[in-house]
Amino acid sequence: DEPQHLVFDLQQIVGIEAVGLLVLVILGLVLWWSGRTQWRRGFSVTFGAGGYRGARDLHRVAGIIVAVVLITTALTGILVIWRTEVQNILPQSVPMTIRPAPKVAARSDLPFRPVDDFVARAHAKFGDSLIKSVRFPGGHGRVVVVYLQAVGTVRPRATDQIWFNRYTGEQLGLYEAATLPTATTFLDWMLPVHTGQALGLGGRV
């Protein structure tokens, strides 16, 4: 349990940092704004009034350009870290698909089924899609999840996921990227936007 608590604590720290970054950027925009009639001054750089004035103008212009990236980074980071909390506060009228998180109790009367069986069943469900990974939530091996490359969506690294009881082979859950409601799809886009994958190599750089 200790590593899980550590990851949880680090995620909360990152989330708090994202909130702090968002506040700093908003304050920077407030300080940059010169009014509706003089907003163009915020993009001007004056070198003839001394080095300090030139450096301050460069800082202001660079700041307003980078602010777009920083706001995107902060907002998407907040939505990735606190996704569950965001889902919980959405109105019930907003359709959402919650990612499965099934639990399976330990059993001594049945052995674990071979992982290959679950991979074959995933292929039977989703066709010849590429297997991206096979995971065992909780680290105990009682639940197995097969991740396959999703079809029917342009979201980077989108996967179709299918959960199984490793003792009985029972299907416990399904998460299909191409059939998700709009709100769930929006939240799933936050990670590739946050990491820059949504824009390819240039976005990641």
Side-chain angles (χ1 to χ4, degrees):
D1 292 338
E2 184 176 347
Q4 293 178 356
H5 289 310
L6 179 60
V7 170
F8 175 81
D9 292 339
L10 289 176
Q11 287 179 339
Q12 303 312 304
I13 291 172
V14 172
I16 294 169
E17 289 177 342
V19 173
L21 175 61
L22 183 61
V23 171
L24 287 175
V25 176
I26 291 174
L27 290 175
L29 291 173
V30 171
L31 293 174
W32 172 85
W33 181 249
S34 301
R36 286 184 297 177
T37 60
Q38 298 181 333
W39 63 270
R40 290 183 178 83
R41 290 179 52 191
F43 292 99
S44 64
V45 179
T46 302
F47 292 105
Y52 173 78
R53 172 65 184 275
R56 188 181 68 179
D57 286 352
L58 282 173
H59 174 81
R60 183 180 60 204
V61 173
I64 192 61
I65 295 173
V66 175
V68 177
V69 177
L70 295 181
I71 287 177
T72 302
T73 300
L75 285 175
T76 55
I78 290 169
L79 291 173
V80 168
I81 294 295
W82 288 312
R83 173 179 177 140
T84 300
E85 289 75 10
V86 171
Q87 290 176 158
N88 289 338
I89 65 175
L90 288 175
Q92 293 185 352
S93 58
V94 177
M96 288 289 299
T97 297
I98 305 301
R99 197 182 305 272
K103 307 292 183 183
V104 173
R107 298 181 60 170
S108 58
D109 60 323
L110 285 176
F112 283 159
R113 293 193 177 192
V115 173
D116 287 347
D117 290 354
F118 302 109
V119 172
R121 289 185 58 185
H123 274 311
K125 171 68 177 177
F126 293 107
D128 294 329
S129 296
L130 177 67
I131 298 291
K132 302 296 290 185
S133 65
V134 178
R135 304 182 189 179
F136 306 91
H140 43 62
R142 299 192 292 268
V143 177
V144 58
V145 191
V146 182
Y147 289 70
L148 304 96
Q149 184 170 306
V151 295
T153 177
V154 297
R155 179 165 56 84
R157 296 181 65 180
T159 57
D160 293 322
Q161 304 157 23
I162 184 167
W163 278 254
F164 295 102
N165 181 324
R166 200 173 173 194
Y167 291 114
T168 66
E170 175 190 1
Q171 181 178 313
L172 301 175
L174 192 64
Y175 193 85
E176 297 184 71
T179 63
L180 299 174
T182 302
T184 307
T185 301
F186 173 80
L187 291 176
D188 279 354
W189 266 102
M190 292 302 99
L191 183 59
V193 171
H194 182 75
T195 60
Q197 291 177 316
L199 298 176
L201 178 60
R204 292 196 296 274
V205 171

